[in-house]
Amino acid sequence: MAITEAQHRNRLGRFILISNLLFGGLIVLYYLLRGFDDDEFAELMKLVIPIKTAYLTALTRYVVANRHVVNTTVDENPVQINRLFASTSYIIISVHIIGLIAAVSLYALFNAMDFKDLINIIVALETIFGVYVGLIIASMFRVEEGKN
């Protein structure tokens, strides 16, 4: 089944928004359940918030710039994207967020590693996948200069 760029952008945008909000909510929940102490929670937030904000800013900027576009298939060129791009974008973003959730959960629920190890894993995941996630987000949620 072919998918247009607008359909993919809408689905991917929702997925990115929901998965990142769930990840942030999970960290807060683990903190409330005492999976993190105060210092660990603060350090984790200092690391995670700027990274996730960078991803979500591009998405939010695109949504705000296109707030008046009701039917994107009419206003936008209905260019179809290939399956490789669609599946790759979902796989990269899914592996990225699942890796982060798994690492945080292993620490908070099972104390399976030291906190320094958790931080190193998060930094590694963000370094490895951050470039690719950033490329996908930049290509899908670019705002033209004429829009604001």
Side-chain angles (χ1 to χ4, degrees), residues 127-143:
T127 301
I128 293 167
F129 288 102
V131 172
Y132 303 116
V133 172
L135 283 172
I136 291 166
I137 289 174
S139 71
M140 293 302 297
F141 301 103
R142 184 174 332 128
V143 175

PDB file of all heavy atoms in Angstrom, residues 127-143:
ATOM      1  N   THR A 127      23.652   9.421  21.011  1.00  0.00           N
ATOM      2  CA  THR A 127      24.695   9.718  20.031  1.00  0.00           C
ATOM      3  C   THR A 127      24.502   8.875  18.775  1.00  0.00           C
ATOM      4  O   THR A 127      24.561   9.393  17.656  1.00  0.00           O
ATOM      5  CB  THR A 127      26.084   9.446  20.637  1.00  0.00           C
ATOM      6  OG1 THR A 127      26.251  10.264  21.797  1.00  0.00           O
ATOM      7  CG2 THR A 127      27.188   9.754  19.633  1.00  0.00           C
ATOM      8  N   ILE A 128      24.259   7.583  18.964  1.00  0.00           N
ATOM      9  CA  ILE A 128      24.108   6.684  17.821  1.00  0.00           C
ATOM     10  C   ILE A 128      22.843   7.006  17.029  1.00  0.00           C
ATOM     11  O   ILE A 128      22.886   7.179  15.809  1.00  0.00           O
ATOM     12  CB  ILE A 128      24.079   5.213  18.287  1.00  0.00           C
ATOM     13  CG1 ILE A 128      25.448   4.826  18.852  1.00  0.00           C
ATOM     14  CG2 ILE A 128      23.678   4.287  17.156  1.00  0.00           C
ATOM     15  CD1 ILE A 128      25.456   3.518  19.627  1.00  0.00           C
ATOM     16  N   PHE A 129      21.717   7.082  17.728  1.00  0.00           N
ATOM     17  CA  PHE A 129      20.448   7.255  17.032  1.00  0.00           C
ATOM     18  C   PHE A 129      20.071   8.713  16.833  1.00  0.00           C
ATOM     19  O   PHE A 129      19.259   9.022  15.972  1.00  0.00           O
ATOM     20  CB  PHE A 129      19.320   6.532  17.782  1.00  0.00           C
ATOM     21  CG  PHE A 129      19.405   5.045  17.666  1.00  0.00           C
ATOM     22  CD1 PHE A 129      19.908   4.279  18.698  1.00  0.00           C
ATOM     23  CD2 PHE A 129      18.994   4.400  16.510  1.00  0.00           C
ATOM     24  CE1 PHE A 129      19.996   2.909  18.596  1.00  0.00           C
ATOM     25  CE2 PHE A 129      19.076   3.035  16.386  1.00  0.00           C
ATOM     26  CZ  PHE A 129      19.583   2.277  17.437  1.00  0.00           C
ATOM     27  N   GLY A 130      20.642   9.597  17.617  1.00  0.00           N
ATOM     28  CA  GLY A 130      20.280  11.008  17.545  1.00  0.00           C
ATOM     29  C   GLY A 130      20.499  11.608  16.179  1.00  0.00           C
ATOM     30  O   GLY A 130      19.681  12.385  15.684  1.00  0.00           O
ATOM     31  N   VAL A 131      21.582  11.235  15.540  1.00  0.00           N
ATOM     32  CA  VAL A 131      21.878  11.754  14.205  1.00  0.00           C
ATOM     33  C   VAL A 131      20.802  11.298  13.218  1.00  0.00           C
ATOM     34  O   VAL A 131      20.285  12.092  12.435  1.00  0.00           O
ATOM     35  CB  VAL A 131      23.274  11.276  13.743  1.00  0.00           C
ATOM     36  CG1 VAL A 131      23.520  11.626  12.290  1.00  0.00           C
ATOM     37  CG2 VAL A 131      24.350  11.865  14.626  1.00  0.00           C
ATOM     38  N   TYR A 132      20.452  10.021  13.284  1.00  0.00           N
ATOM     39  CA  TYR A 132      19.474   9.473  12.349  1.00  0.00           C
ATOM     40  C   TYR A 132      18.067   9.996  12.631  1.00  0.00           C
ATOM     41  O   TYR A 132      17.339  10.349  11.710  1.00  0.00           O
ATOM     42  CB  TYR A 132      19.503   7.944  12.387  1.00  0.00           C
ATOM     43  CG  TYR A 132      20.879   7.417  12.078  1.00  0.00           C
ATOM     44  CD1 TYR A 132      21.602   6.719  13.025  1.00  0.00           C
ATOM     45  CD2 TYR A 132      21.473   7.651  10.838  1.00  0.00           C
ATOM     46  CE1 TYR A 132      22.879   6.253  12.745  1.00  0.00           C
ATOM     47  CE2 TYR A 132      22.741   7.192  10.554  1.00  0.00           C
ATOM     48  CZ  TYR A 132      23.438   6.497  11.517  1.00  0.00           C
ATOM     49  OH  TYR A 132      24.695   6.049  11.236  1.00  0.00           O
ATOM     50  N   VAL A 133      17.704  10.044  13.909  1.00  0.00           N
ATOM     51  CA  VAL A 133      16.400  10.599  14.282  1.00  0.00           C
ATOM     52  C   VAL A 133      16.333  12.062  13.854  1.00  0.00           C
ATOM     53  O   VAL A 133      15.332  12.517  13.309  1.00  0.00           O
ATOM     54  CB  VAL A 133      16.126  10.430  15.795  1.00  0.00           C
ATOM     55  CG1 VAL A 133      14.880  11.184  16.209  1.00  0.00           C
ATOM     56  CG2 VAL A 133      16.005   8.956  16.162  1.00  0.00           C
ATOM     57  N   GLY A 134      17.407  12.782  14.074  1.00  0.00           N
ATOM     58  CA  GLY A 134      17.460  14.186  13.662  1.00  0.00           C
ATOM     59  C   GLY A 134      17.300  14.360  12.165  1.00  0.00           C
ATOM     60  O   GLY A 134      16.603  15.264  11.703  1.00  0.00           O
ATOM     61  N   LEU A 135      17.934  13.490  11.384  1.00  0.00           N
ATOM     62  CA  LEU A 135      17.788  13.552   9.921  1.00  0.00           C
ATOM     63  C   LEU A 135      16.352  13.300   9.497  1.00  0.00           C
ATOM     64  O   LEU A 135      15.821  13.989   8.622  1.00  0.00           O
ATOM     65  CB  LEU A 135      18.705  12.514   9.251  1.00  0.00           C
ATOM     66  CG  LEU A 135      20.179  12.845   9.175  1.00  0.00           C
ATOM     67  CD1 LEU A 135      20.961  11.640   8.659  1.00  0.00           C
ATOM     68  CD2 LEU A 135      20.412  14.043   8.285  1.00  0.00           C
ATOM     69  N   ILE A 136      15.737  12.309  10.103  1.00  0.00           N
ATOM     70  CA  ILE A 136      14.348  11.976   9.758  1.00  0.00           C
ATOM     71  C   ILE A 136      13.427  13.133  10.129  1.00  0.00           C
ATOM     72  O   ILE A 136      12.599  13.562   9.329  1.00  0.00           O
ATOM     73  CB  ILE A 136      13.918  10.675  10.449  1.00  0.00           C
ATOM     74  CG1 ILE A 136      14.680   9.487   9.844  1.00  0.00           C
ATOM     75  CG2 ILE A 136      12.412  10.474  10.339  1.00  0.00           C
ATOM     76  CD1 ILE A 136      14.584   8.216  10.646  1.00  0.00           C
ATOM     77  N   ILE A 137      13.590  13.642  11.332  1.00  0.00           N
ATOM     78  CA  ILE A 137      12.735  14.738  11.783  1.00  0.00           C
ATOM     79  C   ILE A 137      12.955  15.981  10.925  1.00  0.00           C
ATOM     80  O   ILE A 137      12.002  16.642  10.517  1.00  0.00           O
ATOM     81  CB  ILE A 137      12.973  15.029  13.282  1.00  0.00           C
ATOM     82  CG1 ILE A 137      12.401  13.874  14.116  1.00  0.00           C
ATOM     83  CG2 ILE A 137      12.339  16.352  13.696  1.00  0.00           C
ATOM     84  CD1 ILE A 137      12.696  13.959  15.594  1.00  0.00           C
ATOM     85  N   ALA A 138      14.210  16.284  10.617  1.00  0.00           N
ATOM     86  CA  ALA A 138      14.492  17.461   9.794  1.00  0.00           C
ATOM     87  C   ALA A 138      13.899  17.327   8.399  1.00  0.00           C
ATOM     88  O   ALA A 138      13.373  18.296   7.843  1.00  0.00           O
ATOM     89  CB  ALA A 138      15.999  17.685   9.705  1.00  0.00           C
ATOM     90  N   SER A 139      13.952  16.125   7.831  1.00  0.00           N
ATOM     91  CA  SER A 139      13.418  15.958   6.477  1.00  0.00           C
ATOM     92  C   SER A 139      11.895  15.972   6.450  1.00  0.00           C
ATOM     93  O   SER A 139      11.296  16.431   5.486  1.00  0.00           O
ATOM     94  CB  SER A 139      13.936  14.666   5.845  1.00  0.00           C
ATOM     95  OG  SER A 139      13.346  13.540   6.454  1.00  0.00           O
ATOM     96  N   MET A 140      11.271  15.477   7.489  1.00  0.00           N
ATOM     97  CA  MET A 140       9.809  15.373   7.500  1.00  0.00           C
ATOM     98  C   MET A 140       9.121  16.624   8.035  1.00  0.00           C
ATOM     99  O   MET A 140       7.992  16.912   7.670  1.00  0.00           O
ATOM    100  CB  MET A 140       9.368  14.165   8.330  1.00  0.00           C
ATOM    101  CG  MET A 140       9.759  12.827   7.738  1.00  0.00           C
ATOM    102  SD  MET A 140       9.127  12.536   6.075  1.00  0.00           S
ATOM    103  CE  MET A 140       7.390  12.565   6.356  1.00  0.00           C
ATOM    104  N   PHE A 141       9.779  17.357   8.920  1.00  0.00           N
ATOM    105  CA  PHE A 141       9.109  18.471   9.591  1.00  0.00           C
ATOM    106  C   PHE A 141       9.820  19.802   9.359  1.00  0.00           C
ATOM    107  O   PHE A 141       9.848  20.665  10.217  1.00  0.00           O
ATOM    108  CB  PHE A 141       8.986  18.176  11.096  1.00  0.00           C
ATOM    109  CG  PHE A 141       8.221  16.918  11.359  1.00  0.00           C
ATOM    110  CD1 PHE A 141       8.871  15.749  11.716  1.00  0.00           C
ATOM    111  CD2 PHE A 141       6.841  16.889  11.216  1.00  0.00           C
ATOM    112  CE1 PHE A 141       8.165  14.579  11.936  1.00  0.00           C
ATOM    113  CE2 PHE A 141       6.131  15.730  11.433  1.00  0.00           C
ATOM    114  CZ  PHE A 141       6.796  14.567  11.791  1.00  0.00           C
ATOM    115  N   ARG A 142      10.352  19.980   8.171  1.00  0.00           N
ATOM    116  CA  ARG A 142      11.008  21.223   7.800  1.00  0.00           C
ATOM    117  C   ARG A 142       9.950  22.283   7.560  1.00  0.00           C
ATOM    118  O   ARG A 142       8.936  22.029   6.923  1.00  0.00           O
ATOM    119  CB  ARG A 142      11.809  20.994   6.521  1.00  0.00           C
ATOM    120  CG  ARG A 142      12.614  22.155   6.073  1.00  0.00           C
ATOM    121  CD  ARG A 142      13.480  21.776   4.873  1.00  0.00           C
ATOM    122  NE  ARG A 142      13.806  20.359   4.870  1.00  0.00           N
ATOM    123  CZ  ARG A 142      13.609  19.567   3.829  1.00  0.00           C
ATOM    124  NH1 ARG A 142      13.146  20.004   2.703  1.00  0.00           N
ATOM    125  NH2 ARG A 142      13.907  18.270   3.897  1.00  0.00           N
ATOM    126  N   VAL A 143      10.184  23.473   8.087  1.00  0.00           N
ATOM    127  CA  VAL A 143       9.259  24.589   7.881  1.00  0.00           C
ATOM    128  C   VAL A 143       9.913  25.536   6.887  1.00  0.00           C
ATOM    129  O   VAL A 143      11.053  25.938   7.043  1.00  0.00           O
ATOM    130  CB  VAL A 143       8.978  25.333   9.219  1.00  0.00           C
ATOM    131  CG1 VAL A 143       8.128  26.565   8.977  1.00  0.00           C
ATOM    132  CG2 VAL A 143       8.327  24.399  10.212  1.00  0.00           C
TER     133      VAL A 143
END
